[in-house]
Amino acid sequence: MLAKRIIPCLDVDKGRVVKGKQFQSIQDVADPVDLAIRYNKEGADELVFYDITASNEERNIFLDMVESVAATINIPFMVGGGIRTIEDINQVLHAGADKVSVNSAAITNPSLIEKAASKFGSQCIVLSIDAKEIEPGKWQVFQNGGRLNSGIDALEWAIKGEQLGAGELVINSIDVDGVKNGYNLTLTKAIADVVNIPIVASGGAGSLEHFQQVLRNNIADAALAASVFHYEQIKISTLKNYLAQQKIPVRSVV
Amino acid sequence: MIAIIDYGAGNIKSLQFTLSKLNIPNILTQDETIIRNSKAMILPGVGSFQDAMEELKKANLDTIIKQEVENGKPILGICLGMQLFYETSNEGGNTVGLGLLKGHIERIPTSVKVPHMGWNTLHLKQGYEITSNIPVEDTYVYFVHSYYANKVEEEDVVGSCTYGDEVPAIVQRDNIIGMQFHPEKSSVIGMQLLKNFKEMFL
């Protein structure tokens, strides 16, 4: 049976992993390769690295890090942040990343998804959506790290993303990110209901129970989290055992 | 030396890193002499069937691969690389493949999410060298694909997984081995499978 995936997310700034609360107040945490090794051992199913600075000068530091990660672990990993062009995608895939997530650039230029999917295959093109509730039951897509409202409806954007060839969606709820009160089940389910590609839920994980809530009832295929793993509030092995007891299919930790 | 056939397929680095960890000498190449002198070949692949066949043909690699396989050289096809072994694919119109194995590549039924992405369990037949030291129960490997091999010869299937249909995951006919998932991304299980390939043929 296809397992539900647990995905630690590492925000990388100048080669270091950081975690911001609701995109603000950045704190230094750890070396990305060290964390990748630790998560791989603990049974993470996949990793995500977001380049949060993404200035041109620092791009090479990030690409070197991607290559070091690829050399070290043998589970899949996704890379995102500052991806604007086909050449950006080509570079990170060439450095050893398995998937690339696009966000703001796809809003400005939706054909980026289409071109990337046809060149590299849908399986490695992920559309990352930062959504915020603007009235009850209605979410809009924000860009530039959650600072700018694009005015686009999140559900419509998800459907468009699938049509353009995205192979997976990461749904990040700005409303709950960093708050640790649980994933945004309503938003995630609303999107899952209108597309037929895998959904990664992001933002809000604070307890074991939050993971089982979002991985049930056809809501999400994978759950992404950052600080609960970085600060070892939740160990991935403990989480996997808990989910298995809850009858959620997970890859056993070997 | 294993020749990894270079036809511009995406992420080859992870595969090379994993082979190096297993002390398997490898080279990414489309050079005919190197391929002919290699002890085994790996046909990697992500992307589309049609583009891949075009690239192989452009460099005459389709003919070289077929001749070498006929002469008994072992080949491992990974993901799209395995799909290319079959007769045809309906990805992007109807495209003729290498025809090393009998069967056809079709889209995964939409009763499930496409692509098939993530860790799925293998149902393994017993008694194959390629799966030696691999547990029969709860063996997860990493899949990411939208098409799968259908109407294949039952005796070629070493292992399968369930996803919308019974999806051939490991296939073998003599010196031809295919894996629909990514062994280089499948943690310790994947390492063991590549190690088995090494021990069988190198």
Side-chain angles (χ1 to χ4, degrees):
Chain A
M1 192 188 281
L2 187 65
K4 298 287 184 180
R5 287 170 281 152
I6 300 299
I7 309 179
C9 176
L10 300 84
D11 286 347
V12 179
D13 183 21
K14 301 185 192 74
R16 299 283 294 177
V17 174
V18 294
K19 171 62 187 168
K21 193 180 184 187
Q22 280 169 319
F23 297 121
Q24 308 268 319
S25 70
I26 286 164
Q27 282 179 285
D28 195 6
V29 180
D31 177 67
V33 178
D34 288 347
L35 264 184
I37 293 169
R38 190 182 104 200
Y39 291 144
N40 183 33
K41 274 193 194 142
E42 286 181 13
D45 296 303
E46 203 172 310
L47 299 173
V48 174
F49 295 88
Y50 273 113
D51 185 7
I52 60 166
T53 42
S55 69
N56 287 331
E57 312 84 68
E58 280 145 14
R59 199 72 197 159
N60 288 335
I61 304 176
F62 187 73
L63 289 172
D64 287 348
M65 183 220 76
V66 170
E67 193 166 333
S68 306
V69 170
T72 313
I73 58 165
N74 57 346
I75 56 169
F77 67 98
M78 187 199 301
V79 159
I83 302 289
R84 293 180 191 91
T85 63
I86 291 287
E87 183 49 30
D88 291 339
I89 296 173
N90 190 39
Q91 280 181 350
V92 289
L93 290 177
H94 210 79
D98 300 284
K99 301 190 227 177
V100 183
S101 81
V102 291
N103 192 330
S104 296
I107 298 169
T108 320
N109 173 23
S111 73
L112 177 65
I113 302 174
E114 198 169 16
K115 284 184 190 144
S118 91
K119 188 168 169 66
F120 306 107
S122 286
Q123 79 290 332
C124 63
I125 306 302
V126 178
L127 177 60
S128 181
I129 300 178
D130 292 334
K132 195 172 162 68
E133 193 163 29
I134 46 134
E135 56 183 82
K138 195 165 166 57
W139 299 268
Q140 286 185 342
V141 181
F142 279 62
Q143 59 193 108
N144 300 359
R147 288 187 293 270
L148 178 69
N149 186 357
S150 70
I152 299 168
D153 181 79
L155 271 62
E156 282 170 23
W157 182 227
I159 294 167
K160 178 105 184 271
E162 180 182 21
Q163 285 168 351
L164 289 168
E168 185 165 68
L169 299 175
V170 175
I171 308 302
N172 187 42
S173 167
I174 295 172
D175 303 294
V176 306
D177 185 61
V179 183
K180 297 191 178 176
N181 273 336
Y183 290 95
N184 191 330
L185 304 177
T186 326
L187 166 68
T188 314
K189 177 78 170 120
I191 291 181
D193 283 346
V194 294
V195 296
N196 195 40
I197 51 179
I199 303 277
V200 181
S202 164
S207 71
L208 294 174
E209 198 176 24
H210 295 153
F211 287 88
Q212 67 100 4
Q213 288 167 348
V214 81
L215 294 173
R216 271 191 204 291
N217 304 323
N218 302 316
I219 302 177
D221 303 282
L224 182 150
S227 60
V228 288
F229 297 139
H230 302 337
Y231 298 116
E232 298 188 68
Q233 285 162 301
I234 294 178
K235 267 196 97 170
I236 294 168
S237 46
T238 311
L239 173 60
K240 287 276 188 88
N241 289 335
Y242 165 81
L243 292 171
Q245 280 164 15
Q246 301 290 315
K247 303 273 180 258
I248 290 172
V250 285
R251 179 174 67 108
S252 43
V253 185
V254 274
Chain B
M1 178 69 74
I2 285 191
I4 304 174
I5 309 294
D6 181 10
Y7 62 97
N11 177 2
I12 305 299
K13 220 155 225 172
S14 298
L15 176 62
Q16 290 190 284
F17 284 135
T18 307
L19 293 174
S20 301
K21 279 184 205 159
L22 292 165
N23 296 317
I24 302 175
N26 63 87
I27 181 169
L28 180 65
T29 183
Q30 51 172 247
D31 183 281
E32 178 167 357
T33 317
I34 296 176
I35 296 171
R36 298 237 188 244
N37 289 330
S38 67
K39 287 187 87 172
M41 301 175 285
I42 293 183
L43 189 57
V46 287
S48 88
F49 193 99
Q50 203 174 14
D51 291 350
M53 277 313 292
E54 268 172 35
E55 292 300 322
L56 287 175
K57 280 183 183 163
K58 246 188 246 169
N60 198 35
L61 291 166
D62 57 330
T63 312
I64 300 170
I65 291 169
K66 281 196 255 188
Q67 286 171 352
E68 290 300 305
V69 168
E70 221 161 275
N71 293 337
K73 182 167 291 178
I75 187 167
L76 172 64
I78 295 173
C79 197
L80 176 66
M82 160 182 151
Q83 296 183 2
L84 294 168
F85 289 168
Y86 288 91
E87 294 163 284
T88 62
S89 167
N90 64 9
E91 181 176 7
N94 237 335
T95 310
V96 174
L98 294 171
L100 299 170
L101 296 176
K102 277 191 185 154
H104 301 276
I105 305 303
E106 291 174 12
R107 196 166 168 87
I108 294 169
T110 50
S111 55
V112 287
K113 291 188 179 190
V114 183
H116 174 209
M117 191 183 280
W119 299 81
N120 206 336
T121 40
L122 291 176
H123 315 139
L124 295 170
K125 290 183 191 164
Q126 303 275 0
Y128 287 86
E129 256 182 283
I130 189 66
T131 52
S132 59
N133 296 313
I134 300 288
V136 180
E137 295 279 316
D138 278 337
T139 296
Y140 282 97
V141 289
Y142 187 79
F143 289 87
V144 51
H145 63 119
S146 301
Y147 290 77
Y148 75 113
N150 197 9
K151 303 183 189 85
V152 302
E153 299 277 299
E154 183 48 39
E155 68 256 34
D156 292 350
V157 180
V158 176
S160 61
C161 73
T162 309
Y163 196 72
D165 192 357
E166 205 57 19
V167 173
I170 303 178
V171 295
Q172 178 177 11
R173 176 162 288 247
D174 306 321
N175 52 330
I176 304 166
I177 293 182
M179 297 182 191
Q180 178 57 72
F181 52 90
H182 286 272
E184 78 278 17
K185 286 288 161 185
S186 295
S187 196
V188 287
I189 299 289
M191 294 280 271
Q192 182 64 49
L193 289 164
L194 290 169
K195 197 171 164 220
N196 291 346
F197 183 78
K198 173 191 176 183
E199 279 163 14
M200 284 166 75
F201 297 120
L202 294 178

